[in-house]
Amino acid sequence: MDDLRKEMLKKLPKIDEILLILERQNIYDLAPHEIVKETCRKVVQDLRDKIVNVKKKLPSEFSPDTAAVAKEVEKSIRGLYRYSLRRVVNATGVILHTNLGRAPLCPEALERIMEVGRGYSNLEYDLVKGERGQRYDHVSSLICALTGAEDALIVNNNAAAVLLVLNALAEKKEAIVSRGELIEIGGEFRIPEIMHKSATKLREVGTTNRTRLGDYEKAISDKTGLIMKVHTSNYRIVGFTEEADIESLAALGKSRGIPVMDDLGSGCLIDLDLYGLQHEPTVRETLAKGVDVVTFSGDKLLGGPQAGIIVGKKEVLAKIKKNPLNRALRIDKFTLAALEATLMHYLNTAAAPKTLRALKALTEPVADVKKRAEELIRKLQNENFDQLKFSIREDFAAAGGGSLPTQQIPTVLVAVKNKNMPATKMEEKLRKLEMPIIARVDKDEILFDLRTVTEDELVFLIEGLRQINI
Ligand SMILES: *Cc1c(COP(=O)(O)O)cnc(C)c1O
C-alpha cells in the first residue's frame, strides 16, 4: 500500500465522533442507537475498502471530513423510510411481466384485501357449524363452478402446486413425462429439478419433437406413480412434431389405475379465440378430457393474485390435501380474498375481459389502444416540451409470463425523442422517478406501449416527462 493510502486510512473519521454529530442532529428520532452505530461502521468500512481497493489514483472524496460522513449515514438511515416495493407504470407492452408483478389486481380484490386484513376473519372457521373450517373452502365452490372440477386446492404459486402434486401422488415412484415437455419456466423452475425435489423419479419418454401414446404405454410399470403432461406455455415446438393427446393419456391412466396430471401453467378460464387470439386450452376443457388433476397460476391469464390452483377429481385432491407439504406451501388470507374477488368476475364471461386488467390488455381492440396513444400525444403537445419530439408507431405487444409465446398482439406506441438527451439516459431517468416508468428503448427514442398503460396512467407519463426535462 502506498503512503498516500495509508495516510488516508489514518484520517478516516472515528465512529464516536460521527455519532456525536448525529446525536446533536437528533438522529435517534429516526432510528435506535444500534442501527445508527451499525450504519456508521458500514459507511466507514465502505470508505476503507475503496481506499484499499481502488486501482486508480484516488480523488479527494476518498478522504471526507466527519460532517460529510455523518451526512452520508443520515442519508442511509432516511433511505430505510423509503418504500422499496412500489407501484410502477408498465409501458413495455409485456402484459404479464413477471419482473413487474404479473397481473394487476381488480378494484374489488383490493377492497377485499383491506376488508379482510383490517379485522379478524373466518379464514379457517365455519360460521354455520361454529367449528374449524378449511381456508380453501372460500374459493373452491367458485373454482369448481367455473371449471367443472370436483374439488379445488390453492397453494402459494403454480411451482408449489406442481411440487405438491408430484410429491403427493408419486413420491419414491416414477412420473412419466415426454422429453418435449421437460421445460424451464424461468427463475429456476425446471421440471426435472422440481421432480428431483419432490422425491419423484423422472421417466422420460419419446424425443424432443415426437412422443406417441405407445411411448407412455411402454414406460408404465409397477414403479409408475403418475403420468404428467406439461403445457409448453412459454415456447412451441413446431414442424415435424407429434404428441399424445390428452384424452388418450387420460384413458390410458384410467385403464392402468395411474393418475394423470396436466400442468397448464397459464390457466385460462375463457375462450381466447373469441378475441382473435390463439387458442389456449382452458381449464374446463382440459378437465373434460378426463385428466385427474390440473395445475395453473393465479396471476397469469387468470389475471389475479399470485397463487397455484390445483383442480380435479375428489379422491385425488383428498390425497393431495393430506400431504404435509401442503401446510408449508399454504396460501395466505390476502391472496384468498383477492382471488375470490377476481374469480367472481368470471361469472360474467363476457364482462371479465373488460374488468380484469390483464385480460383487458390482452383482448382490447387495437383501435382503442390507438385512441389512447393519440390522446397522449395531444396532451403532450399541450405542454412546453420544446426539446421533445413525439410520434406514433404501430408494433406488437406480448402476453409475457410464459403465456401465448408466439402470439403477436398488435399495439400502438408513442415514441419520444429528446434533442438533448440520449434515449438510454431518458430511460434511466424515467425508471428512477418517484412513480417509475418502465419503457422500451429503440436507438435514439424511448417507446411507450399504450397496450399496458391505462387511461388513468397517462398523467404519470406526462408528469414523468416533465420531471426529467427540468
Ligand atoms: C408459469 C408456469 C409454472 C410456474 O408457475 P408460477 O405460478 O410462476 O409458480 C409452472 N408450469 C408452467 C407450465 C408454467 O407456465
Side-chain angles (χ1 to χ4, degrees):
M1 203 187 316
D2 53 46
D3 288 346
L4 175 67
R5 284 176 207 252
K6 278 186 197 152
E7 197 55 32
M8 280 176 143
L9 284 179
K10 243 187 267 167
K11 277 201 276 186
L12 278 177
K14 302 276 172 297
I15 304 288
D16 288 343
E17 289 165 13
I18 309 168
L19 284 174
L20 222 58
I21 296 184
L22 288 169
E23 188 169 3
R24 264 184 254 128
Q25 293 165 357
N26 298 327
I27 192 77
Y28 299 124
D29 292 349
L30 289 181
H33 188 255
E34 300 92 310
I35 293 181
V36 177
K37 196 162 167 184
E38 268 308 309
T39 311
C40 287
R41 279 214 196 97
K42 197 174 168 303
V43 170
V44 173
Q45 187 59 45
D46 286 352
L47 282 167
R48 186 170 286 133
D49 291 348
K50 272 186 199 156
I51 293 172
V52 174
N53 298 325
V54 168
K55 297 274 185 301
K56 297 174 298 204
K57 215 170 139 272
L58 289 166
S60 61
E61 71 247 29
F62 283 112
S63 56
D65 61 20
T66 312
V69 176
K71 230 188 170 67
E72 195 55 38
V73 173
E74 188 192 328
K75 199 174 138 201
S76 174
I77 286 172
R78 286 197 185 275
L80 298 174
Y81 282 88
R82 212 174 125 85
Y83 287 115
S84 169
L85 181 58
R86 284 182 292 156
R87 178 175 172 188
V88 306
V89 178
N90 172 12
T92 64
V94 179
I95 297 164
L96 298 165
H97 200 305
T98 299
N99 301 148
L100 303 183
R102 288 199 188 151
L105 297 179
C106 58
E108 295 79 7
L110 300 173
E111 277 161 27
R112 297 307 299 158
I113 291 174
M114 291 258 280
E115 175 67 11
V116 167
R118 185 173 278 136
Y120 294 94
S121 63
N122 62 338
L123 180 64
E124 287 189 350
Y125 188 68
D126 187 325
L127 294 171
V128 176
K129 294 186 188 148
E131 60 189 40
R132 186 167 179 215
Q134 281 200 331
R135 61 180 63 212
Y136 325 106
D137 288 352
H138 302 294
V139 290
S140 57
S141 316
L142 259 176
I143 294 179
C144 292
L146 293 169
T147 62
E150 289 175 13
D151 201 0
L153 169 65
I154 329 291
V155 288
N156 186 44
N157 57 17
N158 190 36
V162 174
L163 177 75
L164 176 62
V165 173
L166 284 169
N167 184 263
L169 303 183
E171 187 178 17
K172 302 203 186 89
K173 292 193 148 189
E174 291 180 353
I176 305 175
V177 190
S178 159
R179 284 205 168 83
E181 297 171 7
L182 294 175
I183 58 169
E184 169 171 327
I185 309 294
E188 307 306 312
F189 182 88
R190 288 177 160 179
I191 292 293
E193 285 165 20
I194 289 280
M195 289 220 164
H196 182 69
K197 288 288 176 200
S198 67
T200 305
K201 196 157 179 296
L202 169 63
R203 179 80 162 83
E204 294 174 44
V205 293
T207 59
T208 304
N209 57 331
R210 288 173 79 93
T211 304
R212 302 179 183 82
L213 186 65
D215 295 323
Y216 289 89
E217 240 168 338
K218 269 184 268 159
I220 293 178
S221 70
D222 53 5
K223 284 179 272 174
T224 310
L226 182 73
I227 295 173
M228 181 186 188
K229 184 105 185 111
V230 185
H231 179 45
T232 55
S233 58
N234 63 353
Y235 78 113
R236 293 277 186 273
I237 294 179
V238 294
F240 185 58
T241 65
E242 182 172 346
E243 61 178 312
D245 63 62
I246 296 173
E247 289 98 329
S248 323
L249 276 183
L252 174 64
K254 197 166 178 199
S255 72
R256 309 292 281 267
I258 297 165
V260 179
M261 136 186 215
D262 193 344
D263 174 22
L264 267 187
S266 35
C268 198
L269 296 186
I270 60 164
D271 197 352
L272 291 180
D273 315 28
L274 297 175
Y275 301 90
L277 295 162
Q278 285 165 6
H279 182 71
E280 180 69 17
T282 65
V283 178
R284 182 184 286 279
E285 80 186 44
T286 307
L287 283 170
K289 287 177 179 166
V291 295
D292 299 281
V293 190
V294 173
T295 58
F296 57 101
S297 295
D299 56 355
K300 289 187 180 172
L301 292 177
L302 190 130
Q306 177 189 307
I309 304 172
I310 305 169
V311 291
K313 307 236 165 90
K314 218 172 181 78
E315 323 88 81
V316 184
L317 267 281
K319 200 166 168 191
I320 300 170
K321 282 183 182 176
K322 274 202 265 133
N323 188 284
L325 267 181
N326 186 16
R327 172 64 180 78
L329 305 173
R330 84 177 180 191
I331 191 167
D332 72 289
K333 59 185 174 183
F334 305 118
T335 312
L336 275 172
L339 186 61
E340 187 180 20
T342 307
L343 289 167
M344 256 181 218
H345 281 288
Y346 283 98
L347 293 172
N348 186 343
T349 318
K354 295 191 183 77
T355 44
L356 298 175
R357 186 163 157 187
L359 272 190
K360 178 165 185 210
L362 199 62
T363 59
E364 186 180 41
V366 68
D368 293 354
V369 181
K370 187 166 187 192
K371 270 189 216 138
R372 212 152 52 241
E374 285 165 351
E375 184 187 340
L376 177 62
I377 294 253
R378 245 192 334 273
K379 288 181 166 158
L380 288 171
Q381 275 157 356
N382 288 338
E383 304 276 322
N384 288 322
F385 288 135
D386 299 333
Q387 71 281 40
L388 300 184
K389 242 186 80 194
F390 308 107
S391 54
I392 278 198
R393 190 167 316 159
E394 285 174 12
D395 198 21
F396 293 100
S403 308
L404 309 173
T406 54
Q407 176 78 57
Q408 292 208 303
I409 306 164
T411 193
V412 180
L413 314 172
V414 168
V416 184
K417 190 171 170 160
N418 190 329
K419 284 186 210 129
N420 307 324
M421 203 191 286
T424 47
K425 185 80 202 161
M426 265 203 288
E427 183 275 334
E428 184 191 337
K429 286 190 163 218
L430 289 168
R431 170 157 52 80
K432 292 181 174 171
L433 289 170
E434 214 25 60
M435 172 63 82
I437 297 166
I438 316 297
R440 295 200 227 162
V441 178
D442 180 35
K443 297 191 200 88
D444 55 355
E445 291 174 317
I446 52 158
L447 308 171
F448 296 140
D449 188 326
L450 274 296
R451 189 168 277 283
T452 49
V453 179
T454 59
E455 170 124 29
D456 301 348
E457 288 175 332
L458 295 183
V459 291
F460 297 130
L461 297 183
I462 298 161
E463 179 57 29
L465 286 175
R466 238 185 246 143
Q467 285 185 23
I468 70 165
N469 279 292
I470 299 168

